[in-house]
Amino acid sequence: MISLKDIWKSFGDNQVLKGISLEVERGKILVIIGPSGSGKSTLLRSINHLETIDRGEIWVDGVQVNAPLKGRKFEKHINRVRQEMGMVFQHFNLFPHMTVMENITMAPMLLKKIPREKADARARGLLEKVDLADKMNCYPVQLSGGQKQRVAIARALAMEPKVMLFDEVTSALDPELIGEVNKVMKRLAAEHMTMLIVTHEMRFAAEVADHVIFMADGVIIEEGPPEEIFSNPTHERTRRFLFEVFKS
Amino acid sequence: MQGLEFSVVFENMNILLQGMFWTVVLCSSASLLSIVVAVVLAMTGISKLKPVRSATLFFLWVFRGTPLLLQLFLFYFGLPQVGLYLSPIITGIIGLTLHFGVYNADVLRAGILGVETGQHEASRSLGLSYFQTMRKVIIPQALRNVSPAVGNNLIALLKESSLVSIITVPELTLSAQRAISETFRPFEFYFAAGALYYVVNWGLEFILQRVEARTALTR
């Protein structure tokens, strides 16, 4: 479903991604862990073309995201491709001037020309799924961090994406609010949504992942099923990282 | 010495009220249009295309660097020379719109740049184009963020609108002058006109406060 081939990316002199390749099969969940600055967020953002890569190929559901097109043709292409991908950010990025309902229905109504009644009905369904049916007329400023993030997930799901990308979605949350967001993501996992998750939550990663990648300094150090990576890492670098994380 | 006699104002009140009516028409249309102009100029001012950006900056520079009165004279007396005849009221609206549109554009451009990049990213990640993102996500937030500054410009617009009396728009200041030429009572009529400007200003400030209060929640 998602296929990355030899991805390279630098910011100026700083080489952030050094030849990353990976695959995510339909309905599977890939979790990327690693120290900050390892390039995992940049990698995830590249898939949605929020970062432009220097070299390599990104394929999602048989379509090349970084297709060799120019100017307006590429713009049209990328806007279409992005509709197939849901992205959730660390800082929620809800639209503060819209209600919860409007946040969710705006894109489907504008891009898929779905009539308001139908979009509203679907949004209500999604809000029930993220346990926020009672908040549909609130503005984002009235919500807690965990609630905001669940709305952000509903907003992404409203476009009926084929894959979901999660970029450290619980990193900005108070500890007691992390659980409610993880719960929603587990529900999605149970529905066999294809997901790529960048996270610092090792216990959550161990629980939901089909496959775990440990990244450091722009390369994949080690990968495998979660039980292997977490209980029996083969690389010194992975061991040290997990030791530091679980020490705290 | 003549002494002051305000009863003469009340006898000629309908002249002043007619003037006030035109001031309100002039200012409300110029205010709304100046915001439209500001949105367009703010967008072209941050365009990726260099010629578009340069042309915008040149336009802003010309209109900010020259007096409103001169601009009005140019439109009213100069344009007929090239075959363009505009009525005084239309000329007044165009002059005020462009002059204050330029001020509002500057404020709005800063407001657009002040919206977090995360808002762009969230919108683009849903599949919205650049222009859809601007229209639905960025401009509405930028307008809210700069509404106090735009409000100040609109109050200035209201007061500067008295300048269009010189190109014979029958607004409040010109009406006062007409009443004076009939009654020879400058103090009373200028004073009364000032009071009526104040009333319109109150109305404007009331509207601005309502707009700010309504959008405060959503920030």
Side-chain angles (χ1 to χ4, degrees):
Chain A
M1 193 68 166
I2 303 176
S3 169
L4 306 188
K5 294 173 187 162
D6 195 28
I7 307 297
W8 291 75
K9 165 80 182 168
S10 63
F11 294 110
D13 291 338
N14 186 13
Q15 195 71 47
V16 204
L17 300 175
K18 303 169 190 165
I20 301 274
S21 298
L22 61 82
E23 300 275 335
V24 188
E25 282 169 48
R26 190 183 300 270
K28 296 290 183 193
I29 297 171
L30 173 68
V31 174
I32 305 178
I33 58 170
S36 45
S38 59
K40 51 196 194 310
S41 272
T42 306
L43 184 68
L44 194 76
R45 290 163 55 81
S46 303
I47 299 174
N48 208 340
H49 199 72
L50 291 175
E51 306 288 353
T52 315
I53 58 169
D54 302 332
R55 193 141 69 79
E57 287 178 17
I58 300 170
W59 293 79
V60 173
D61 196 29
V63 177
Q64 187 176 1
V65 176
N66 61 333
L69 298 167
K70 288 238 154 33
R72 289 183 64 87
K73 272 193 178 146
F74 183 79
E75 278 294 304
K76 280 185 106 167
H77 160 77
I78 197 66
N79 291 337
R80 222 171 22 242
V81 170
R82 277 170 170 155
Q83 293 184 28
E84 310 285 324
M85 291 188 260
M87 175 119 185
V88 188
F89 301 85
Q90 180 177 357
H91 295 290
F92 331 126
N93 299 343
L94 290 181
F95 306 131
H97 58 300
M98 299 181 191
T99 64
V100 164
M101 201 68 167
E102 289 162 349
N103 263 280
I104 298 172
T105 56
M106 188 265 280
M109 282 170 60
L110 185 67
L111 301 175
K112 294 190 168 173
K113 309 287 174 218
I114 293 173
R116 175 177 293 283
E117 303 79 52
K118 209 175 147 200
D120 279 357
R122 265 188 19 204
R124 272 193 291 274
L126 286 168
L127 282 172
E128 261 163 47
K129 197 164 166 176
V130 299
D131 300 324
L132 286 172
D134 54 328
K135 298 288 184 192
M136 62 182 195
N137 293 320
C138 291
Y139 282 92
V141 73
Q142 297 166 302
L143 305 177
S144 72
Q147 291 169 336
K148 280 182 199 167
Q149 199 57 297
R150 285 182 281 148
V151 173
I153 293 172
R155 176 176 69 179
L157 290 173
M159 287 300 286
E160 300 184 316
K162 290 177 181 146
V163 302
M164 286 286 282
L165 310 172
F166 293 89
D167 186 10
E168 299 186 24
V169 296
T170 53
S171 295
L173 296 178
D174 292 335
E176 77 272 19
L177 302 177
I178 291 173
E180 62 193 53
V181 174
N182 284 347
K183 195 167 109 189
V184 166
M185 287 166 71
K186 278 183 208 157
R187 251 177 239 169
L188 280 181
E191 292 170 14
H192 303 294
M193 172 64 84
T194 309
M195 300 201 265
L196 210 167
I197 303 171
V198 168
T199 187
H200 291 290
E201 285 287 304
M202 297 306 147
R203 277 180 199 86
F204 175 70
E207 249 180 275
V208 301
D210 293 302
H211 194 78
V212 177
I213 284 180
F214 173 70
M215 255 177 92
D217 301 323
V219 292
I220 295 176
I221 303 279
E222 185 168 359
E223 60 180 303
E227 48 275 15
E228 227 168 75
I229 298 286
F230 287 110
S231 47
N232 207 3
T234 53
H235 281 257
E236 173 55 25
R237 191 89 174 75
T238 320
R239 246 178 257 156
R240 228 175 353 165
F241 173 73
L242 291 173
F243 175 75
E244 289 297 329
V245 169
F246 284 110
K247 194 174 70 176
S248 57
Chain B
M1 202 183 71
Q2 201 181 9
L4 297 181
E5 186 54 75
F6 276 94
S7 63
V8 70
V9 170
F10 294 100
E11 285 159 25
N12 293 283
M13 199 60 180
N14 54 348
I15 300 181
L16 288 183
L17 288 179
Q18 264 173 27
M20 186 168 140
F21 168 77
W22 283 110
T23 289
V24 170
V25 169
L26 188 71
C27 291
S28 45
S29 25
S31 292
L32 292 175
L33 289 171
S34 80
I35 292 170
V36 175
V37 166
V39 169
V40 173
L41 289 177
M43 292 269 289
T44 56
I46 57 169
S47 167
K48 279 183 205 132
L49 303 171
K50 186 123 194 287
V52 175
R53 211 168 55 229
S54 308
T56 309
L57 293 180
F58 179 73
F59 187 82
L60 294 182
W61 175 71
V62 167
F63 270 84
R64 226 178 3 205
T66 53
L68 174 57
L69 186 58
L70 191 94
Q71 292 163 11
L72 290 171
F73 282 162
L74 181 73
F75 291 144
Y76 191 63
F77 298 114
L79 287 183
Q81 274 181 277
V82 292
L84 199 55
Y85 294 87
L86 299 171
S87 72
I89 183 84
I90 297 294
T91 311
I93 289 175
I94 292 176
L96 289 170
T97 295
L98 291 178
H99 192 81
F100 286 91
V102 162
Y103 282 115
N104 285 340
D106 242 7
V107 168
L108 186 60
R109 192 163 50 123
I112 288 173
L113 297 176
V115 176
E116 288 172 38
T117 49
Q119 293 290 313
H120 281 274
E121 291 183 350
S123 174
R124 297 306 301 272
S125 79
L126 288 166
L128 273 76
S129 70
Y130 174 79
F131 283 105
Q132 288 169 329
T133 298
M134 278 291 164
R135 183 161 60 88
K136 288 285 191 179
V137 177
I138 307 300
I139 304 268
Q141 289 185 61
L143 279 174
R144 281 168 166 81
N145 291 343
V146 300
S147 66
V150 169
N152 277 342
N153 285 345
L154 298 187
I155 288 169
L157 184 153
L158 169 60
K159 291 185 290 188
E160 300 292 311
S161 74
S162 68
L163 280 178
V164 304
S165 63
I166 298 188
I167 56 164
T168 71
V169 179
E171 48 68 76
L172 189 46
T173 302
L174 188 61
S175 304
Q177 279 167 346
R178 281 184 180 152
I180 290 161
S181 64
E182 280 171 28
T183 60
F184 306 105
R185 290 278 177 183
F187 189 100
E188 289 88 337
F189 279 99
Y190 284 136
F191 189 90
L196 290 178
Y197 271 112
Y198 216 88
V199 171
V200 181
N201 222 329
W202 262 342
L204 178 58
E205 279 184 37
F206 176 75
I207 294 169
L208 292 173
Q209 273 169 15
R210 288 284 297 268
V211 170
E212 277 185 47
R214 264 196 56 180
T215 55
L217 174 76
T218 62
R219 242 178 248 166

